[in-house]
Amino acid sequence: MARRTNLTLLAALTASFVTGVLALWVGEGRALAVAWVHGAAGIAVILLVRWKAPVIRRGLRRQRADAPAAVLTAVIAVAMLATGLAHTLGAATFGPLTVLGLHLTLAIALVPLVVWHVAHRPQLPARGDLTRASFLRLAGIGVLALAGKASLEGTLADSRADSGSLRRADPVPTSWLNDDPPGIDPALWRERMAVFPRREVTCALDCTSGWYSVNRWSGVAVSDLLGPLPAGTRSVVVHSATGYSRRFAVEDVGSLLLADTLDGEPLGAGNGAPARLVAPGRRGFWWVKWVTRIEPSSRPAWWQPPFPLD
């Protein structure tokens, strides 16, 4: 029983982590399915505590040398689940951090601890694990997890994006890692953009720190700025004054906007002035701030880290 519980819990934690990573990546369209699986996996972990708690108590009574590390793993796991549930119920911030940001930090910290725990206490599936009783128990946990997710989904359905992000009226000048507003000459884009037709788009900026806002952005289409692309172009790279950049496939260029106004007002420094990229349907880290140049590239769009490293 203990082995089956441990293996099921490991599978649920793995599913929760994988879908959590995917939830940061996918935009509109696929975000809802990923968020549902992620939420259901998290609830399954909570349900499995019912069977895991006796296993933990027996392990502590044995006073093994690795008991402190196991306890630390359990504490971080509980904190991770608590912050995930708090975000789902509408909690936005925890001190200077967003609740979702704290949840992500705890999840990243948990990964090496779980790997260490599995390596020091390895357990493999056995033929006897696939009994009728164990199948029914797993099915029951799955049904309860989905029912729990459906129940929670109804609490904030009107104020959340498909990704689970909470709605705000205006974009928050948040960062990924090192994202301090640099000093840029306001005239950097003014003259060049003035010769192109103005375009406007109303769309959602969905940030990986757990919020989204729907606003009106206006500026110049990136396709107008670049004009006909050179032969052999496979992607377009958008560079920031901070050294940050993101690469987009050629077929996506038509949807990109270089914006200099937000809801009819000039961009503020925290939101990327003098110009930032607007990438409808993409998560916030694709919306490059403080754009200094946009250039064609012969490299494919996947030639970059999946998430920002700077």
Side-chain angles (χ1 to χ4, degrees):
M1 181 65 180
R3 184 182 67 255
R4 290 196 293 268
T5 297
N6 290 335
L7 290 173
T8 305
L9 183 58
L10 178 61
L13 281 170
T14 301
S16 182
F17 180 78
V18 171
T19 52
V21 172
L22 285 175
L24 298 176
W25 174 263
V26 298
E28 297 172 4
R30 291 170 292 180
L32 182 60
V34 173
W36 261 82
V37 176
H38 180 69
I43 294 173
V45 172
I46 295 174
L47 294 173
L48 286 165
V49 171
R50 154 72 177 78
W51 292 275
K52 181 63 177 177
V55 177
I56 294 173
R57 286 196 294 268
R58 288 196 298 271
L60 291 176
R61 284 197 294 266
R62 292 171 187 164
Q63 297 183 341
R64 293 180 51 158
D66 60 355
V71 170
L72 177 62
T73 302
V75 169
I76 292 179
V78 169
M80 179 195 68
L81 292 169
T83 51
L85 185 60
H87 173 75
T88 300
L89 293 174
T93 59
F94 184 83
L97 301 175
T98 64
V99 172
L100 184 59
L102 182 57
H103 177 70
L104 295 173
T105 301
L106 291 167
I108 294 171
L110 186 64
V111 171
L113 289 171
V114 170
V115 171
W116 180 91
H117 187 74
V118 170
H120 280 73
R121 302 187 184 187
Q123 296 183 5
L124 298 175
R127 285 185 180 179
D129 292 340
L130 297 177
T131 63
R132 182 174 180 271
S134 63
F135 174 78
L136 291 175
R137 185 163 49 248
L138 285 173
I141 291 172
V143 170
L144 287 174
L146 288 171
K149 172 61 178 173
S151 177
L152 291 173
E153 192 68 21
T155 61
L156 291 169
D158 294 335
S159 59
R160 286 193 296 168
D162 287 347
S163 63
S165 295
L166 303 172
R167 184 159 189 171
R168 295 183 61 101
D170 300 301
V172 181
T174 53
S175 64
W176 180 263
L177 293 176
N178 179 19
D179 200 45
D180 295 326
I184 306 178
D185 182 359
L188 176 65
W189 288 102
R190 187 181 301 151
E191 292 183 8
R192 186 175 180 187
M193 293 174 69
V195 302
F196 294 101
R198 301 284 299 181
R199 301 183 186 272
E200 187 174 281
V201 60
T202 298
C203 60
L205 169 53
D206 191 347
C207 183
T208 51
S209 61
W211 59 266
Y212 83 102
S213 66
V214 179
N215 301 93
R216 179 168 48 91
W217 304 85
S218 65
V220 173
V222 170
S223 57
D224 288 343
L225 283 169
L226 294 177
L229 296 173
T233 298
R234 301 174 67 186
S235 64
V236 168
V237 188
V238 183
H239 296 270
S240 169
T242 63
Y244 177 64
S245 65
R246 292 309 287 173
R247 186 182 299 271
F248 297 82
V250 169
E251 54 267 26
D252 295 332
V253 172
S255 66
L256 303 178
L257 180 79
L258 187 66
D260 56 7
T261 68
L262 167 62
D263 290 334
E265 299 293 333
L267 285 180
N271 274 315
R276 79 173 298 170
L277 188 72
V278 172
R282 301 256 188 176
R283 298 305 296 274
F285 66 87
W286 292 90
W287 293 46
V288 182
K289 297 180 182 179
W290 311 298
V291 176
T292 54
R293 70 183 191 279
I294 305 174
E295 59 185 6
S297 172
S298 60
R299 291 179 174 174
W302 52 262
W303 192 268
Q304 63 183 336
F307 296 104
L309 298 179
D310 55 9

